[in-house]
Amino acid sequence: MATENGTRRGYLLLSPTLAVMALAMAAPLALLVLYSLTAAPGPVLAGGPSLAQYGEALARAGYRALFWRSIAISALVTAVTVTLAYPMAYFVAFHAGRAKFAWAIALTIPFWTSYLLRVFAWKIILGYGGVINSALLSLHLISTPLSALLYNPFAVVVTLTHAWAAFAILPIYVSLEKIDRALLEAATDLGDGPARRFLRITLPLSLPGVLGAAILIFVPTTGDYVTPSLVGGPQGAMIANLIAIQFERVGNWPLGAALALASMAMVAVTAALFVTAARAAVRAVK
Amino acid sequence: MKALRAYAALYLAFLYLPVLLLPLFSFNASHFIAFPLSGFTLQWYRELFADVAMLHAFGNSLEVGAVTALLSTVLGLMAARAVTRYRLKGAGAVLGFISLPLFIPDIVLGLSLLLLLGAVDFPLSLAAVVLGHVSLCLPFALTVLIARMQGFDRNLEEASADLGEGPWMTFWRLTFPLMLPGIAAALLLTFITSFDEFLLAYFLSGTEATLPVYIWGQLRFPERLPMVLALGALILLASVVVVILAEWTRNLGVSKKSVGA
């Protein structure tokens, strides 16, 4: 089938998509890289390439703190979301019976509401005059509203955990669903108890789903802008807020570009380390 | 087992309760979003439908969503066809390249596109938003369509060719109808993704707001909040209908598999 002619037609068929992605993604990213190598705000690469912006991005303690906070918040969100989602996905894959399909739909519906409004809902819930405080007040459980709920990293973690739940449930569910049930029976026949069977068969075989979910959540949440803006306050601000400020208010595009690329590099390195560590850990268990 | 079922119920409550606050408070007769509830009203819905700026932004979002869905599905279809039908060298790299937006924060995609459009003097507009949304949606469209095409029996196409149909007729009379459920799912998924997308639209839309950009602008005004909640409740309702429709068309596809087997 793979004749010369056919191969050429295949590449031809692929070319419009590649052209659009080159225009809409690759070219903009390349320009972003060039901006990050520009020494001062102004024309791109004026005065030759320079690493000054990266120096600035990494030298300031305030910026470094934001980098670490973004990574820490996202890592926590990823861990909590995946841990909470695993039993849920396990239930749907192994114990939902005929209702499996209904569960799958029920679990995805909340995620098709506006992302903005889902995040905003948490501002309403956690706010000073919000749902939790007004409910506790009207039940006479507190006498003054709690102000510690909103505008801090905790609010960001809770909100992101809720907002990204589907991205954990679905990949884990798919990987659990793929497990050959005969393997589980075999393990039981050979004398494994439920706990041992889970650790030796189910968990390792569902690991691709768990890792996929973790990456799908960790990578975009480090760059999330909406959630820290709405519920984070100054203590819960993340790197995306700083990047946006450089572009919108300060007008320092080169620094904004360097911050964006430095944060992407940090995220990539963290994610790669994590995947390697997780694989090694599972091999040790097996 | 019982514990697991209880956990599943709790988890579902965690997912739904925050979202259900939107419809609840959208009918509450008070500007303040707090308990106790102060009575039933349709006032916020009346305000919503009288809001010309909201309706305009809604129209913009429909337009951007429709164009994005169409473009990314057609491009996704061509690419999916190319990598499933032909054994191409570097197909893996190509798929990785197209999936890249999944791993790039939206803020980076949005700002870098903003830089490029500025560099070539392309005006910030709904067209600029479409360009950003297509790059964001293509990975989704491609995933759905490739999954559909991989379940496709190639013998059928050979049979069609043997019976004297040319490649185009084979495509229109055989491949396309069998692909239809996948195409419908890709259209819906990309439309919803574009319709809901905020950050790229925020940077690229210029003076023409999409619905999420409009909502973002309203969140600063406490007196506008109940109306925004009414809008959120309607979006939720529409999403439920669309998701159920989408699942239904996907299942249609599954049961049609017997034709392909």
Side-chain angles (χ1 to χ4, degrees):
Chain A
M1 284 305 286
T3 58
E4 269 306 301
N5 193 15
T7 310
R8 198 159 61 225
R9 197 185 295 163
Y11 285 119
L12 207 64
L13 210 49
L14 208 51
S15 54
T17 311
L18 287 179
V20 168
M21 290 311 271
L23 185 71
M25 180 185 70
L29 285 180
L31 188 59
L32 189 74
V33 172
L34 293 184
Y35 263 104
S36 76
L37 296 172
T38 305
V44 68
L45 284 186
S50 138
L51 288 173
Q53 299 300 341
Y54 288 96
E56 169 88 4
L58 299 175
R60 277 216 210 169
Y63 294 173
R64 277 211 305 271
L66 267 187
F67 275 121
W68 289 122
R69 186 194 291 158
S70 301
I71 299 272
I73 285 181
S74 291
L76 190 58
V77 166
T78 306
V80 173
T81 312
V82 169
T83 311
L84 289 180
Y86 197 95
M88 183 70 238
Y90 186 88
F91 171 78
V92 178
F94 290 107
H95 298 291
R98 285 164 158 261
K100 200 178 266 186
F101 184 61
W103 272 96
I105 290 197
L107 287 170
T108 41
I109 280 179
F111 300 97
W112 294 118
T113 357
S114 155
Y115 181 73
L116 269 185
L117 290 175
R118 255 184 292 143
V119 173
F120 185 69
W122 283 99
K123 187 171 175 168
I124 298 174
I125 294 171
L126 301 172
Y128 190 76
V131 172
I132 290 184
N133 274 324
S134 62
L136 291 177
L137 279 175
S138 53
L139 293 170
H140 301 290
L141 288 172
I142 53 174
S143 52
T144 49
L146 309 168
S147 61
L149 298 175
L150 192 61
Y151 300 131
N152 53 40
F154 161 79
V156 176
V157 170
V158 172
T159 306
L160 285 175
T161 300
H162 179 258
W164 290 82
F167 288 81
I169 299 171
L170 291 178
I172 297 174
Y173 166 73
V174 168
S175 67
L176 286 169
E177 190 64 31
K178 272 193 204 147
I179 295 176
D180 187 348
R181 302 306 197 254
L183 285 176
L184 299 175
E185 280 168 32
T188 314
D189 290 347
L190 293 170
D192 269 0
R196 207 173 148 73
R197 191 182 68 178
F198 175 79
L199 278 178
R200 297 211 317 170
I201 312 270
T202 316
L203 188 59
L205 286 178
S206 62
L207 196 74
V210 172
L211 291 183
I215 297 298
L216 266 181
I217 294 169
F218 179 73
V219 173
T221 51
T222 44
D224 194 70
Y225 174 82
V226 168
T227 305
S229 304
L230 285 179
V231 303
Q235 274 101 51
M238 287 167 71
I239 197 72
N241 303 102
L242 178 64
I243 296 171
I245 285 173
Q246 297 305 325
F247 275 88
E248 294 201 297
R249 270 186 246 154
V250 182
N252 193 344
W253 293 7
L255 180 58
L259 286 166
L261 289 165
S263 70
M264 273 174 66
M266 276 180 86
V267 169
V269 169
T270 316
L273 284 177
F274 163 75
V275 170
T276 316
R279 290 236 168 93
V282 164
R283 236 172 289 141
V285 170
K286 268 199 277 192
Chain B
M1 187 46 241
K2 233 180 210 161
L4 200 57
R5 186 172 287 275
Y7 178 81
L10 267 178
Y11 193 92
L12 214 54
F14 165 69
L15 289 188
Y16 273 83
L17 285 181
V19 172
L20 290 177
L21 287 175
L22 305 175
L24 178 68
F25 282 104
S26 73
F27 293 112
N28 185 34
S30 163
H31 275 292
F32 300 105
I33 299 160
F35 288 110
L37 298 172
S38 11
F40 180 85
T41 180
L42 288 177
Q43 185 194 342
W44 313 122
Y45 287 87
R46 275 195 296 272
E47 262 184 34
L48 181 67
F49 285 108
D51 186 336
V52 181
M54 189 285 291
L55 293 173
H56 185 72
F58 177 68
N60 283 345
S61 275
L62 286 183
E63 211 177 299
V64 170
V67 177
T68 301
L70 213 60
L71 280 176
S72 41
T73 303
V74 168
L75 290 170
L77 200 58
M78 290 163 73
R81 175 95 178 142
V83 296
T84 54
R85 183 73 173 73
Y86 304 96
R87 260 175 246 139
L88 300 179
K89 275 195 205 112
V94 166
L95 287 183
F97 173 67
I98 297 176
S99 310
L100 218 50
L102 287 177
F103 303 99
I104 300 173
D106 290 357
I107 186 157
V108 177
L109 282 178
L111 287 174
S112 57
L113 204 48
L114 184 71
L115 290 181
L116 183 74
L117 296 178
V120 298
D121 271 330
F122 190 93
L124 297 180
S125 56
L126 295 181
V129 179
V130 167
L131 191 63
H133 281 186
V134 167
S135 75
L136 204 65
C137 290
L138 247 170
F140 295 124
L142 197 61
T143 310
V144 170
L145 291 167
I146 285 185
R148 179 75 196 152
M149 282 190 187
Q150 274 167 346
F152 180 83
D153 187 352
R154 194 172 289 170
N155 290 330
L156 286 175
E157 288 190 338
E158 279 170 24
S160 165
D162 288 347
L163 292 170
E165 297 274 40
W168 276 106
M169 283 311 276
T170 299
F171 179 78
W172 278 116
R173 294 189 31 175
L174 184 85
T175 317
F176 185 72
L178 282 174
M179 285 299 302
L180 215 51
I183 292 172
L187 282 172
L188 276 174
L189 187 63
T190 49
F191 177 83
I192 294 183
T193 304
S194 163
F195 189 81
D196 189 38
E197 202 285 328
F198 163 68
L199 205 53
L200 289 171
Y202 178 62
F203 289 126
L204 303 175
S205 58
T207 51
E208 285 289 327
T210 61
L211 197 58
V213 174
Y214 169 83
I215 291 175
W216 179 259
Q218 302 301 303
L219 293 181
R220 273 175 297 148
F221 307 109
E223 73 277 8
R224 307 282 281 171
L225 288 186
M227 193 194 83
V228 172
L229 296 187
L231 179 59
L234 290 178
I235 295 177
L236 178 62
L237 184 69
S239 311
V240 172
V241 173
V242 170
V243 169
I244 290 174
L245 264 178
E247 288 299 327
W248 183 67
T249 49
R250 238 174 41 151
N251 273 17
L252 221 64
V254 171
S255 59
K256 262 196 189 156
K257 241 185 197 158
S258 49
V259 179

